[in-house]
Amino acid sequence: MSANPIPPMHLYSVPSEPSSEAVGQPKRERPRTAWTADQLMAAEFPEPKWAVPGILAEGVSLLAGPPKVGKSWLSLGLGLSVAAGGHAFDSVPVQGGPVLYLALEDTPRRLQTRMGKLLSGHPAPAGLTLVTECPPFPQGGTEAIAQWLERNPDARMVVIDVFAKMRGQAPQGVSAYDADYVAVGYAKRLADRYGIAVVLVHHVRKASSEDFLTEVSGTNGIAGAADATLVLKRARGQADGILHVTGRDVNEAEYALQFQEASGSWKLLEGPASDHTIGDTRAAILRHVRAHPGARPKDIAQALPGTDADTIRRTCSRMAGDGQLTKDAGGRYYPDAETRTRPAREVSQLSDCPVPPPDRHEEPGQSELDLSGLSGSRTAHPNKEVAG
């Protein structure tokens, strides 16, 4: 038997001695919660801190998804990225800082295996604390996490995988909605007091819905108490998943993700999520129309010789019906209504080049060729700028 057996893995087993950097740190003041109207308007508040810019801000974020969709791989990968100060989703730069990861459904051996795959030979960050046991919030879990945060004043994120293990028993005599709201409230108080991102890994209902918020398991009290909700759903096409995001400090958005089997990591795909969740023919048509707004089916067919013209015409019509393209009265297709309704520039009858607006005047250093539109090539479409 080894002379140094692995100690019990729970939050209280993490060394409680403060680090040398934390010694002498001033005690955190209780956040102010009341102002007069003029005081509030005169106050200056720092911008929200981001664990993952644009996706995970300080506060409580629900990360929900169906079983086996890859939530744990995603959350552990984010923990490693933030703790190391690397790139989340293989492309989003993140500021490094201590991370607490409560893997309450895993064993140390399973975590070691997963991390070894995610790290792909890179050193493991010392700033990531991994815990496999912690009491529920009402039975001391809140205090245990707060103690870790006090010892790590620069912490950026706490991940709780899974939330059901930490919520504890519902208070007696309260509705299901109130019980859910109270459960998330424990994490909310920690996030607000310490200015960190707390991620609660959660499940979705079996029944799907057009509104991803209603898919979160439980009552609306869970999503209502959280600052942001992220739902990871399986997708068709090139993407393996779509991450739906909405919240108080984050813009509502959808991100196409691809699961890297070799490394176990999730990669953010470029472009709108819709580009990666449609079939190959539709994706090729959408790319062409984005590059050539106002294209007709025959133009698209010439650019895509591998697909016959009838298929292109039928697919364009279906895409317009599905809202993926817009069509004008002349049978031209556009990627969105804004492009379709943009006024066309007048074309000169002599030069076949766009004519500058009548109120445009020559500016210092601007040549006559620039003003006349003769400095570029013939324009294929009035919305396409003349090449310089």
Side-chain angles (χ1 to χ4, degrees):
M1 181 179 292
S2 172
N4 296 308
I6 298 176
M9 289 293 288
H10 53 77
L11 192 51
Y12 293 117
S13 71
V14 177
S16 59
E17 289 297 325
S19 64
S20 58
E21 296 178 355
V23 174
Q25 288 279 349
K27 189 173 181 62
R28 296 178 187 268
E29 296 182 1
R30 183 181 179 85
R32 183 175 177 177
T33 58
W35 299 262
T36 61
D38 59 332
Q39 290 173 342
L40 184 58
M41 292 305 297
E44 294 185 3
F45 299 99
E47 291 294 320
K49 291 191 299 186
W50 293 89
V52 180
I55 299 177
L56 280 177
E58 65 178 82
V60 174
S61 294
L62 283 174
L63 173 58
K68 310 303 181 185
V69 74
K71 300 185 299 293
S72 292
W73 283 102
L74 190 152
S75 56
L76 181 57
L78 290 177
L80 287 166
S81 299
V82 174
H87 288 77
F89 300 114
D90 200 31
S91 59
V92 183
V94 296
Q95 182 177 342
V99 174
L100 175 63
Y101 188 90
L102 274 62
L104 304 178
E105 290 187 326
D106 287 315
T107 63
R109 181 173 58 192
R110 188 181 303 143
L111 284 173
Q112 185 186 63
T113 301
R114 284 184 179 171
M115 280 200 300
K117 194 171 184 178
L118 286 163
L119 290 167
S120 300
H122 292 89
L128 176 60
T129 298
L130 298 130
V131 175
T132 58
E133 291 184 17
C134 184
F137 284 127
Q139 281 78 52
T142 302
E143 291 76 11
I145 295 173
Q147 289 173 13
W148 183 88
L149 291 169
E150 290 289 347
R151 296 194 299 268
N152 296 271
D154 297 327
R156 302 196 64 81
M157 186 167 69
V158 173
V159 179
I160 298 176
D161 185 7
V162 293
F163 171 54
K165 289 277 190 176
M166 287 293 293
R167 61 175 301 162
Q169 294 293 326
Q172 293 185 353
V174 302
S175 66
Y177 178 95
D178 290 338
D180 285 344
Y181 200 94
V182 168
V184 178
Y186 289 109
K188 173 69 172 168
R189 286 190 288 274
L190 285 169
D192 291 348
R193 178 170 178 80
Y194 293 96
I196 58 164
V198 177
V199 180
L200 304 178
V201 180
H202 194 47
H203 300 296
V204 295
R205 308 174 191 273
K206 290 183 179 180
S208 60
S209 171
E210 291 184 1
D211 184 357
F212 67 91
L213 282 177
T214 63
E215 295 186 31
V216 176
S217 181
T219 70
N220 290 336
I222 291 182
D227 296 294
T229 301
L230 295 77
V231 176
L232 179 63
K233 301 174 70 173
R234 292 188 176 93
R236 295 175 298 172
Q238 299 171 344
D240 295 312
I242 299 295
L243 186 65
H244 302 263
V245 180
T246 190
R248 299 183 178 112
D249 291 318
V250 297
N251 295 325
E252 185 166 333
E254 295 180 349
Y255 299 94
L257 303 176
Q258 189 174 65
F259 187 69
Q260 309 292 301
E261 186 68 33
S263 64
S265 61
W266 285 92
K267 178 183 178 181
L268 182 66
L269 298 176
E270 294 183 2
S274 59
D275 286 10
H276 305 280
T277 56
I278 58 180
D280 291 341
T281 300
R282 291 197 180 200
I285 291 173
L286 189 56
R287 285 194 298 268
H288 181 83
V289 173
R290 281 210 180 99
H292 306 86
R296 290 187 172 92
K298 64 177 183 179
D299 304 322
I300 302 172
Q302 291 176 357
L304 305 176
T307 309
D308 64 87
D310 287 340
T311 299
I312 294 291
R313 186 175 59 257
R314 289 193 301 269
T315 305
C316 286
S317 179
R318 294 192 188 105
M319 292 176 71
D322 294 339
Q324 295 167 340
L325 294 175
T326 61
K327 181 182 178 182
D328 67 9
R332 300 179 181 87
Y333 286 91
Y334 300 84
D336 51 56
E338 180 182 353
T339 305
R340 179 174 61 83
T341 57
R342 189 177 299 153
R345 295 174 62 185
E346 182 184 354
V347 176
S348 167
Q349 297 297 322
L350 296 176
S351 65
D352 196 27
C353 292
V355 176
D359 59 345
R360 181 174 177 182
H361 302 288
E362 184 173 350
E363 299 175 358
Q366 189 175 28
S367 70
E368 294 182 0
L369 287 178
D370 291 334
L371 288 172
S372 68
L374 296 177
S375 59
S377 59
R378 291 166 65 91
T379 306
H381 184 271
N383 283 337
K384 186 176 180 182
E385 293 182 2
V386 178

